[in-house]
Amino acid sequence: MYVQDNYREAADYIKSLLNITPEALIILGSGLGQVANELENSTLIPYSEIPHFKSSTAPSHMGRLVAGRLAGRDVLCMQGRLHIYEGYSPADVSFPVRVASMLGATRLVLTCACGGINTAYNVGDLVMLTDYINLTHTSPLVGMDITGFDARFVDMCHAFDREYIALAKVEAHKLDTSLADGVYFYMPGPQFETPAEIKAARILGGDLVGMSVVHEVAMARRLDMRVAGFGLVTNMAAGILDAPLTEDEIFTEGEKARIRFGGLLKQFVARM
Ligand code: HPA
């Protein structure tokens, strides 16, 4: 569990290296970290140098903050996110979100690789997250020091900002890119799901499955940040196709979607 001073020390360290006030934190998911290389006037800060930050151990997650300008906005990118399956707690995973908020960020833009549960999807589809299901009942807000907050309970009716969902649709249309809607079903991993779990998730209303997102969103909503979530269907979820799931396909699809995904993200960031 962290105390206010821990967040403050991390924020002060980052601030001492930056000459911008970030408007948004952008968290880049598996295979989607390349966008951070497009930032102008960028400053790179390895997580290992930031007080209290955990390191990224997941494959292809570089483990550094990249601060700079993207599509005319000052942003902070996490090139590599933190996951529960790395042995981290929900508080660890969402620590950077609270630090970004202290640095001035009022928006959180998430990207994630997902398995497609909804059989209307195809591998390679981009999906705007409209809601999530977290049946693990874990939360970064459990035990959080709420001094300075007016309430303990956080409304999650619009966890993903409705205006941002509409904006992303408009920008996707302009780019002639299709952008579906979907409910994100959280599974902590690191094993992929069983076909029976995916069947259950579908019955419960999940369209996409993944091993991240929910703790970052809960923290952001606690801090009143507006949230947008972009998913990429890197594979059909377990049991839908008669083929085993592999890490490789996730990275291959991420790489294939790089230009399309990056293009949409930049248009969105320009107008968010
Ligand atoms: N399951 C969980 N997480 C994922 C998947 C999946 O099928 N694909 C990409 N991330």
Side-chain angles (χ1 to χ4, degrees), residues 114-119 121 133 135 183-188 191-211 235-241 243 245:
C114 312
I117 297 175
N118 187 327
T119 51
Y121 297 156
I133 299 174
L135 294 185
V183 173
Y184 183 92
F185 195 96
Y186 172 63
M187 291 291 277
Q191 72 282 3
F192 287 115
E193 301 68 38
T194 63
E197 285 171 332
I198 293 302
K199 256 190 213 162
R202 182 181 303 116
I203 291 166
L204 292 172
D207 296 303
L208 299 153
V209 62
M211 303 178 193
N235 56 281
M236 292 314 287
I240 295 181
L241 305 177
L245 306 189

Side-chain angles (χ1 to χ4, degrees), residues 207-258:
D207 296 303
L208 299 153
V209 62
M211 303 178 193
S212 60
V213 169
V214 300
H215 300 310
E216 297 151 354
V217 175
M219 179 58 86
R221 294 306 300 142
R222 164 78 282 180
L223 304 171
D224 237 352
M225 295 168 84
R226 297 177 70 184
V227 179
F230 293 84
L232 170 69
V233 179
T234 54
N235 56 281
M236 292 314 287
I240 295 181
L241 305 177
D242 188 21
L245 306 189
T246 65
E247 263 176 40
D248 284 354
E249 60 194 320
I250 296 176
F251 302 119
T252 309
E253 284 307 317
E255 183 49 36
K256 276 201 227 161
R258 187 163 58 87

